[in-house]
């Protein structure tokens, strides 16, 4: 599990490794179609929760809190499935990952960084365009805050989504 010269895993590391590699979750994401469906469901739950937060903040309507709660009830187990799908690629410490996993994590982070950088550039250009029309930045405060939170969500979740989509099929004999 660990290479010479790397720190030894702790009891917490081993426990989390067992959770992330639980064979009971493998049938849920054994095929590419199931993995894509789970990623889309997770993306939709994230978007619904984020939309609920934005509307709750702007409209001050407490009913939107129910949407946020419902999205979280779906989002949490889906996140667990995505983490299981990637064998804990982002939850486990580097000492618990092999060289292939470390390379995959670095590749996914690099790809996600490039995507997020393009999205940030698009947001900056959009807000610069709005500012050029004479709209005061104070009038854009809500949009800027929402964009910032959305970018933080994207930066945090895009590597997981990309890694989940890139996972290869589990051989049929391993899906019991």
């Amino acid at each position: 599990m660990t290479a010479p010269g790397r720190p030894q895993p702790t009891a917490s590391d081993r426990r989390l490794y067992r959770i992330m590699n639980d064979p009971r979750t493998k049938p849920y994401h054994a095929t590419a179609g199931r993995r894509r469906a789970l990623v889309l469901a997770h993306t939709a739950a994230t978007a619904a929760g984020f939309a609920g937060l934005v509307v709750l903040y702007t409209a001050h309507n407490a009913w939107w809190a129910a949407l946020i709660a419902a999205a979280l009830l779906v989002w949490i187990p889906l996140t667990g499935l995505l983490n299981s799908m990637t064998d804990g690629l982002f939850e486990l410490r580097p000492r618990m990952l092999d060289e292939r996993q470390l390379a995959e994590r670095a590749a996914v982070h690099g790809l996600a960084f490039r995507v997020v950088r393009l999205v940030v550039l698009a947001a900056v250009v959009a807000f610069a365009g709005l500012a050029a029309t004479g709209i005061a930045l104070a009038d854009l405060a809500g949009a800027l805050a929402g964009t910032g939170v959305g970018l933080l969500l994207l930066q945090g979740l895009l590597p997981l989504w990309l890694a989940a989509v890139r996972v290869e099929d589990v051989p049929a004999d391993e899906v019991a």
Side-chain angles (χ1 to χ4, degrees):
M1 205 175 317
T2 60
R6 289 174 73 180
Q8 291 300 311
T10 64
S12 176
D13 289 335
R14 289 188 293 275
R15 180 179 161 276
L16 189 57
Y17 182 86
R18 281 191 306 275
I19 291 169
M20 292 294 143
N21 291 280
D22 188 344
R24 293 176 296 182
T25 63
K26 301 304 179 197
Y28 293 107
H29 48 77
T31 65
R34 289 179 187 174
R35 287 192 299 278
R36 281 192 292 272
L38 287 170
V39 171
L40 286 174
H42 191 268
T43 305
T46 302
F50 178 66
L53 279 173
V54 169
V55 174
L56 182 64
Y57 175 76
T58 57
H60 305 291
N61 186 335
W63 286 104
W64 287 97
L67 173 65
I68 297 167
L72 268 176
L73 286 174
V74 172
W75 189 86
I76 291 170
L78 286 173
T79 302
L81 283 172
L82 292 184
N83 283 323
S84 168
M85 189 183 311
T86 62
D87 295 328
L89 197 61
F90 300 105
E91 296 301 316
L92 296 171
R93 296 184 205 187
R95 66 175 148 218
M96 296 300 293
L97 303 175
D98 61 28
E99 289 76 20
R100 180 196 56 78
Q101 290 171 312
L102 290 170
E104 177 66 13
R105 181 155 83 173
V108 169
H109 273 296
L111 178 59
F113 173 78
R114 290 188 295 278
V115 171
V116 170
R117 184 175 47 191
L118 290 173
V119 173
V120 169
L121 178 63
V124 167
V125 168
F127 280 111
L130 287 173
T133 64
I135 296 175
L137 281 178
D139 296 335
L140 296 175
L144 283 168
T147 302
V149 171
L151 288 171
L152 281 173
L153 276 171
L154 183 65
Q155 184 270 332
L157 292 173
L158 188 59
L160 180 60
W161 293 336
L162 291 172
V165 169
R166 291 169 53 127
V167 169
E168 295 180 9
D169 287 351
V170 176
D173 60 339
E174 288 185 26
V175 180

